[in-house]
Amino acid sequence: MPVQTSRRPSADATRPPVGGAAAIPPQSRGGRGGGSSPAKRPRRKDPLWARLTVVFGAVLMMSSGVAIVGSKALISQATGDIAQRNLLGEAGKSDAEGGASLDGPIDMLLLGVDARERWAADDVRSDSIIILHIPATHDQAYLISIPRDTEAQIPAFKKSGYGGGTDKINAAFQAGARNGGGWEGGAQLMAQTIKRMTGVSFDGAAIINFGGFKNVIDTLGSVRLCVKQEVKSHHMSYVNGKPMWNADAKKTGKTMTPVVHKKGCQQMEGWAALDYARQRYGLTNSDYDRQQNQQQLIKAMAKKATDKGMLTNPVKLQQLIKAAGKAFILDTGGVPIEDFVFTMRGVTANELTMLKTNNGTFNGDGNGKEVLSAETLEMFQAVKQDKLAEFVFNHPEVISSRK
């Protein structure tokens, strides 16, 4: 049978950025092709978190208020400053899978990256990898996190000169971003790696840097999170009652009191919610518990935006999108954002179901390497076939217990 080609732009075709472009790393850097590479920062054992995307600020959270806010024109105005690029390349859905049509199920790849201005743009890993699945009924949404340490066969990627190999899946982003591939190349290689591993191809994708994510939470004011197990922050401490990064706190020479996230339900400001969701040390199931905390935070944000009228007020809505805009990159597969949002107007935070991979704990292959379990691979097959609701009904253990 002939190979079905995607109607998406080619992997080398770059959409021109729309607004907010200055805050996004350039796609090529000087000094390539014979020049010296920019200085690399030392690789840390636990890179700073940049877990969650704000696709719900730009897409899902908006969608539940569209009928009240008004027309597609208002949506277009609110999202006009969001940078758009080709983040999927050859991992976009083919014509046989629906291509650019939004009539069927919608699958999005959500990537959280950690980056600081002083770091090289091609020295970034995506430690947060979430698949958003919306069935063809467009009235439900599911979040599935892929463990960052999952062993993966990463394909060769001409754009960055990567020859392919076996590594932890979070390394795919870095391999695609190097040698001028930038975040766009990193996302494309990550998407191709996931497609090879799970069989799932995508309608769209989003990337956010954690700084922009904090801005969105601050715009919402606070979010209500229920902490399942007490955890001491590995990254922040109080100095004179003020929360600070440990590195900055040490420079003051003053007494440092660790930030501790107590068990129970509570309202969290942006810095606290962000810090809580990035913890994995001290949690029973380490990164798996962190994955559920990340998903919990996304849902809490969506619920707060819906309950407090953020989505029914065009001015507040624009404030929310502006808060994310500088660190937010979106790919809707060539479909106008307003059409993408309008299609999902029936999905709200209450219809957002959080799912676990590998039963929520480490799944080794006998050689100390993490792999996706047979049940998890079956779950991704259900995503591809748009039978996830049926799978979840028959496997209720995959539903996250976070509230």
Side-chain angles (χ1 to χ4, degrees):
M1 294 180 61
V3 176
Q4 292 287 345
T5 58
S6 173
R7 293 189 297 204
R8 299 180 52 78
S10 67
D12 293 328
T14 302
R15 298 190 190 97
V18 181
I24 299 169
Q27 299 305 301
S28 61
R29 301 175 65 89
R32 302 295 181 194
S36 58
S37 299
K40 302 287 187 179
R41 60 180 171 86
R43 174 62 56 198
R44 290 165 295 158
K45 293 181 180 180
D46 181 30
L48 273 178
W49 173 88
R51 307 274 35 137
L52 306 168
T53 74
V54 190
V55 70
F56 291 95
V59 180
L60 182 58
M61 285 161 53
M62 284 176 48
S63 64
S64 60
V66 168
I68 302 174
V69 172
S71 67
K72 292 183 181 180
L74 281 173
I75 303 172
S76 178
Q77 181 182 6
T79 59
D81 288 336
I82 294 178
Q84 297 181 67
R85 292 211 178 115
N86 181 353
L87 303 180
L88 293 176
E90 299 305 317
K93 287 186 176 176
S94 66
D95 289 348
E97 296 171 308
S101 172
L102 297 179
D103 292 338
I106 297 171
D107 297 295
M108 290 195 69
L109 175 61
L110 315 180
L111 300 174
V113 300
D114 179 27
R116 299 291 181 90
E117 290 183 1
R118 65 181 181 273
W119 295 347
D122 59 357
D123 191 26
V124 176
R125 292 193 177 204
S126 175
D127 284 340
S128 177
I129 309 163
I130 301 175
I131 292 177
L132 164 68
H133 174 74
I134 297 175
T137 52
H138 298 166
D139 58 358
Q140 180 73 34
Y142 299 88
L143 290 178
I144 307 173
S145 295
I146 296 180
R148 64 193 286 276
D149 292 334
T150 303
E151 185 177 52
Q153 300 298 319
I154 304 174
F157 193 62
K158 183 177 180 181
K159 189 172 185 177
S160 68
Y162 177 68
T166 302
D167 205 334
K168 293 180 179 179
I169 195 169
N170 69 337
F173 192 95
Q174 184 187 43
R178 65 177 56 157
N179 296 327
W183 287 13
E184 181 176 340
Q188 288 177 7
L189 184 54
M190 176 65 79
Q192 290 179 30
T193 302
I194 293 172
K195 182 176 181 179
R196 171 179 287 196
M197 173 184 288
T198 67
V200 176
S201 48
F202 301 96
D203 297 276
I207 305 175
I208 192 169
N209 184 15
F210 84 98
F213 190 69
K214 177 182 178 299
N215 292 339
V216 174
I217 301 173
D218 288 340
T219 300
L220 291 171
S222 65
V223 290
R224 186 176 185 271
L225 293 174
C226 293
V227 179
K228 185 175 182 179
Q229 51 185 310
E230 180 175 309
V231 59
K232 183 174 73 173
S233 175
H234 190 71
H235 312 282
M236 299 191 74
S237 298
Y238 291 107
V239 174
N240 292 337
K242 178 182 178 181
M244 300 179 67
W245 295 111
N246 286 337
D248 295 327
K250 290 177 181 178
K251 293 177 182 178
T252 68
K254 299 180 180 179
T255 301
M256 297 168 54
T257 303
V259 168
V260 178
H261 301 285
K262 300 287 187 178
K263 185 176 180 179
C265 298
Q266 54 204 270
Q267 291 288 333
M268 290 191 185
E269 298 177 28
W271 72 267
L274 188 68
D275 185 61
Y276 167 66
R278 58 191 290 261
Q279 303 304 318
R280 64 187 176 102
Y281 294 112
L283 297 179
T284 302
N285 290 301
S286 189
D287 189 53
Y288 284 93
D289 284 333
R290 180 168 62 174
Q291 291 169 26
Q292 293 185 65
N293 293 343
Q294 296 162 12
Q295 294 177 1
Q296 178 191 23
L297 181 51
I298 286 181
K299 187 169 184 177
M301 289 175 61
K303 185 172 178 59
K304 178 66 175 287
T306 303
D307 292 348
K308 298 301 180 182
M310 179 72 73
L311 308 181
T312 62
N313 185 319
V315 175
K316 292 182 178 179
L317 181 59
Q318 286 181 312
Q319 292 175 348
L320 181 66
I321 302 304
K322 184 178 180 180
K326 290 185 178 181
F328 185 56
I329 309 173
L330 183 66
D331 181 353
T332 57
V335 177
I337 295 180
E338 57 268 28
D339 290 345
F340 207 88
V341 172
F342 203 77
T343 298
M344 295 189 287
R345 63 189 180 277
V347 181
T348 69
N350 291 331
E351 282 77 48
L352 179 57
T353 302
M354 303 178 296
L355 304 180
K356 299 183 293 184
T357 51
N358 291 350
N359 201 29
T361 190
F362 180 81
N363 184 68
D365 63 356
N367 296 314
K369 296 180 179 179
E370 191 167 12
V371 296
L372 296 182
S373 66
E375 182 183 54
T376 295
L377 289 174
E378 185 181 349
M379 179 165 60
F380 281 119
Q381 185 65 17
V383 170
K384 182 175 177 61
Q385 297 174 349
D386 195 23
K387 295 181 178 180
L388 189 55
E390 179 181 340
F391 175 87
V392 171
F393 179 81
N394 292 321
H395 299 266
E397 68 275 6
V398 302
I399 299 176
S400 172
S401 60
R402 297 294 190 273
K403 302 297 183 181

